[in-house]
């Protein structure tokens, strides 16, 4: 017997017929002899509807009241799933954030979960009752409703799994696992049986939106075994135990599981970056700080940075990327600091794409980056910027070349399915 | 300075533009120097939507989970009203049922409010913060969400008013007060400045659905001064203090307020009854008990009862009324008991109407009923049954004659406006 936390997203909860399908998966998992808790999102579209009301009511809405409004979406689906399970003969009850209680800090609309006592939840599960928990919500030290930010239900699921010491946290999504790359771009993409937390973090942060980044960080910190699975399965399809998706595990566990693994785990493309170049900046100490200080203060996340070799005039060009959503704000900020920074022109480009190769194998093997650069150069794809981490190499290219780049890299690293 | 509880129904809360109008009324009431709490319903249609989900999910739904689902409607509007008030520069916050906490019993979906400590609410109001409270919801001794039954927000408002010792509980509705009769039937109907709790109870129970009956009972018990007003007022219309609706008061207060009051306060028509006649029942002890015992056990509310004079054969006909919604169930029950009761035929009629004249003046004046019977007889309207209480006389007539009966009685009792 295992203790399993299952999580279903908004598409899976969109309407009572889909909730019935979810309930059937949950019922079968319990009938297989496990203790089960379920974390649910609001019906697809419902959170947008509620956020829309808030914007209409008050453009500068109080996040504490925003949380009261938007938390209602998950409250509704948790009650509906509990009663649907009951209709199937299961014992089940809903546990709202304040009832568990899932304690968070007071940062409304982007709260962080703190340690909480899962005693009541564990007792209920141990008594054979399926615990249905609305994702995304908690309770602040002041006793008010909090929410974790959009997509927070993944984090709720991992937090519950950590608290109840679950053997596994199954995240049911609209894909059936994590792939070597987007199967819509590369038909030969392969589903990965395992990825490590670090790999998943890098993949999540470069546009492979299978899981919310925070949920992966939390799973890594709390060592929760997370599995990504498809929720679009037939009522009589094999259970998660029998037909697994992708399991997210620690480095150590991976070594035991998959000795023959490729050096590279996956290739991700992210079209949500924009490039800014400031020309003819004085090549002196402090110039770069004058650029990035104000952006950091405005909470704009600068990713890749290149500073061209100083020209003979003692001037330099600086290029960097920001999220496309922050481009306008960044431009306004930099324009306001023009005298301080002392640049000549600002050139922006949102038709760029960030291509990343990710893999823990990179740590022990040289030449990964060199292969990437050569493969792209052979196809005439120009690299505009580079950034690297211990397990990732990213390059910025023209957005039009995204699909070509992903395809040739997928082949070059030997990831194509047979 | 007064302490005022204001309550707005679903039509007033239907959408952010209407919520803005409500917020403006609330803001102006506070700006006039009062401490203010507001109780709100869900947006019109929202509770029906949520109840629909519950029915689809599980025909025999668990009322505890039903409460989790349907309480979300008022949670949403309370957050939206609080943030709308903030947008107008007011201090405001929402207080969910479990936060106040509004303690109820455990009778989910039809819970009754128990005594609760309004300390936090009072402190917040005294500090100049407008307290926004979702109606209809509370918390059970087990810490679960409860709801009070459809229309329960009126009861929430009166309970909050009683707990915070409010000077007044203003119920904003889609009519601007309580009338001597339905103005759609009688153009000369007059708005009443005052009615007593007892009168309001009788009027509420005979089809004048301005307030939920339970809220009136609670107001009477707790001596809460309740005022019925229109929520459809312009942003610059006079406030409730300046342009009152109908105030519901005690007998004693009424005497001080309105010495010149008519004997009869109002005339109500109720088309939601159905008549059942059982013929040729043995005229023996226990025969009547055999009819009404099973109906009472099935929670069917029998109203008027007539037993015809026993005929020479020792047989009698019994006629009585039940709510139209319970007619089919009543027929099935009685058919099942046919042998026990020993009737010959069952005759039913739902084309009936109950006309009631209501007024506390009746207590000290004879002849009210006689005037009613004579007035109807003069117009050839046949009376099929009669029931009376201390302050009400009701008769059952053919439904086609409803409007005629109400009009002639309104004139006969001197209620027509000049």
């Amino acid at each position: 017997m295992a203790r399993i936390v299952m999580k279903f997203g908004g598409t899976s909860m969109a309407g009572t017929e889909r909730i019935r399908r979810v309930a059937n998966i949950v019922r079968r998992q319990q009938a297989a002899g496990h203790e089960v808790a379920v974390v649910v999102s609001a019906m697809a579209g419902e959170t947008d509807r509620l956020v829309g009301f808030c914007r209409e009511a008050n453009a500068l809405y109080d996040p504490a009241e925003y949380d009261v409004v938007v938390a209602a979406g998950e409250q509704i689906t948790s009650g509906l799933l509990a009663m649907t399970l009951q209709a199937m003969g299961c014992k089940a009850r809903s546990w709202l954030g304040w009832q568990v209680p899932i304690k968070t800090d007071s940062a409304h609309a982007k709260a962080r979960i703190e340690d909480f006592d899962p005693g009541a939840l564990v007792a209920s599960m141990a008594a054979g009752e399926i615990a249905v928990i609305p994702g995304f919500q908690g309770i602040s030290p002041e006793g008010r409703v909090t929410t974790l930010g959009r997509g927070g239900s993944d984090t709720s699921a991992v937090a519950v799994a950590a608290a109840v010491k679950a053997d596994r946290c199954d995240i049911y999504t609209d894909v059936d696992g994590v792939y070597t790359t987007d199967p819509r771009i590369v038909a030969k993409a392969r589903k990965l049986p395992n990825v490590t937390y670090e790999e998943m973090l890098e993949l999540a942060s470069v546009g492979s939106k299978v899981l919310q980044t925070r949920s992966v960080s939390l799973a890594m910190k709390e060592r929760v075994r997370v599995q990504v699975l498809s929720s679009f399965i037939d009522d009589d399809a094999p259970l998660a135990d029998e037909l697994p998706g992708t399991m997210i595990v620690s480095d150590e566990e991976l070594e035991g599981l998959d000795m023959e693994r490729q050096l590279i785990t996956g290739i991700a493309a992210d079209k949500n970056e924009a490039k800014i170049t400031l020309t003819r900046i004085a090549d002196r100490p402090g110039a770069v700080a004058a650029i990035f200080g104000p952006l950091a203060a405005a909470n704009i996340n600068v990713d890749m940075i290149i500073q061209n070799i100083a020209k003979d005039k003692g001037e330099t060009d600086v290029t960097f990327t920001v999220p496309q959503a922050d481009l306008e704000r960044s431009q306004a900020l930099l324009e306001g600091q023009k005298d301080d920074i002392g640049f000549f022109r600002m050139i922006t480009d949102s038709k760029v794409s960030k291509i990343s190769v990710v893999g823990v194998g990179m740590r022990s093997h040289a030449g990964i980056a060199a292969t990437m650069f050569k493969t792209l150069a052979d196809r005439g794809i120009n690299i505009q910027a580079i950034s690297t981490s211990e397990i990732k190499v990213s390059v910025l290219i023209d957005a039009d070349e995204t699909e070509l780049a992903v395809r040739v890299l997928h082949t070059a690293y030997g990831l194509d399915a047979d």
Side-chain angles (χ1 to χ4, degrees), chain A:
Chain A
M1 191 198 72
R3 182 176 289 169
I4 300 173
V5 174
M6 309 168 78
K7 185 257 166 182
F8 293 88
T11 314
S12 308
M13 300 301 289
T16 48
E17 174 50 27
R18 291 203 183 167
I19 291 174
R20 194 200 59 73
R21 295 174 73 88
V22 165
N24 194 48
I25 298 174
V26 174
R27 178 191 66 74
R28 292 174 64 214
Q29 195 66 258
Q30 190 196 38
H34 304 307
E35 287 181 11
V36 177
V38 196
V39 174
V40 295
S41 296
M43 292 189 192
E46 180 71 1
T47 306
D48 286 339
R49 184 177 83 106
L50 297 173
V51 170
F53 285 145
C54 291
R55 294 213 172 112
E56 286 170 27
N58 185 343
L60 302 167
Y61 49 71
D62 174 6
E65 298 301 343
Y66 165 92
D67 282 350
V68 168
V69 175
V70 298
E74 281 75 10
Q75 176 168 333
I76 292 167
T77 46
S78 64
L80 290 176
L81 178 57
M83 63 175 75
T84 307
L85 285 164
Q86 291 170 354
M88 294 178 176
C90 300
K91 290 206 297 181
R93 75 155 276 196
S94 62
W95 291 86
L96 301 180
W98 56 273
Q99 289 172 327
V100 174
I102 296 184
K103 295 185 182 170
T104 71
D105 60 20
S106 303
H108 284 285
K110 52 179 180 189
R112 299 191 76 85
I113 296 178
E114 296 178 345
D115 268 348
F116 64 91
D117 175 1
L121 213 54
V122 169
S124 155
M125 289 167 72
E129 198 170 57
I130 297 170
V132 184
I133 302 154
F136 178 59
Q137 64 178 241
I139 179 171
S140 75
E142 295 78 27
R144 302 205 61 186
V145 175
T146 53
T147 67
L148 310 183
R150 293 303 291 266
S153 291
D154 288 344
T155 304
S156 298
V158 172
V160 167
V164 305
K165 303 197 193 312
D167 296 279
R168 210 170 70 218
C169 179
D170 287 345
I171 310 271
Y172 287 82
T173 68
D174 48 7
V175 295
D176 65 349
V178 180
Y179 276 75
T180 49
T181 194
D182 186 340
R184 288 168 302 183
I185 298 180
V186 180
K188 290 184 168 179
R190 287 184 297 111
K191 188 170 82 174
L192 294 159
N194 306 285
V195 295
T196 69
Y197 298 116
E198 286 94 340
E199 287 171 336
M200 197 65 211
L201 271 179
E202 294 287 8
L203 289 168
S205 63
V206 291
S208 166
K209 301 291 180 206
V210 176
L211 289 181
Q212 197 203 18
T213 311
R214 268 172 70 190
S215 69
V216 182
S217 307
L218 183 64
M220 181 161 77
K221 176 168 162 276
E222 301 285 344
R223 296 281 146 175
V224 175
R225 299 181 82 230
V226 175
Q227 183 172 215
V228 176
L229 303 140
S230 171
S231 60
F232 293 101
I233 61 173
D234 290 333
D235 279 354
D236 53 359
L239 289 174
D241 317 70
E242 302 151 15
L243 186 72
T246 298
M247 187 71 76
I248 308 173
V249 296
S250 64
D251 278 15
E252 303 78 54
E253 194 174 351
L254 180 70
E255 279 175 31
L257 286 167
D258 197 357
M259 295 297 289
E260 297 304 311
R261 206 158 182 264
Q262 309 282 353
L263 282 178
I264 295 302
T265 307
I267 296 168
D270 179 6
K271 293 184 175 177
N272 297 311
E273 300 266 309
K275 185 177 74 165
I276 300 178
T277 301
L278 302 178
T279 66
R280 296 177 56 187
I281 292 172
D283 188 15
R284 58 168 170 77
V288 169
I291 299 171
F292 298 115
L295 294 176
N299 219 9
I300 294 169
N301 195 21
V302 173
D303 180 17
M304 302 169 136
I305 303 175
I306 329 176
Q307 188 170 5
N308 289 357
I309 297 154
K311 301 188 185 125
D312 47 4
K313 286 181 183 163
E315 285 173 349
T316 179
D317 293 352
V318 174
T319 296
F320 54 92
T321 61
V322 296
Q324 246 173 53
D326 292 328
L327 178 57
E328 267 187 65
R329 217 152 52 93
S330 304
Q331 283 177 281
L333 266 171
L334 294 167
E335 209 57 67
Q337 304 279 323
K338 187 165 186 175
D339 292 344
D340 249 20
I341 303 170
F343 61 87
F344 175 66
R345 270 215 310 159
M346 172 158 43
I347 304 158
T348 66
D349 181 4
S350 20
K351 284 202 67 224
V352 291
S353 184
K354 184 166 71 167
I355 309 294
S356 305
V357 299
V358 174
V360 287
M362 221 179 271
R363 286 196 189 116
S364 48
H365 281 77
I368 300 288
T371 303
M372 185 177 199
F373 305 152
K374 179 167 189 313
T375 305
L376 296 176
D378 286 350
R379 290 305 188 114
I381 297 170
N382 187 38
I383 294 173
Q384 305 177 19
I386 299 167
S387 73
T388 62
S389 79
E390 212 184 344
I391 64 165
K392 182 191 72 172
V393 182
S394 300
V395 298
L396 199 69
I397 63 171
D398 189 294
D400 288 342
E401 297 174 316
T402 307
E403 285 73 18
L404 175 63
V406 170
R407 254 184 237 117
V408 295
L409 291 171
H410 201 265
T411 304
Y413 288 110
L415 295 173
D416 292 352
D418 300 329

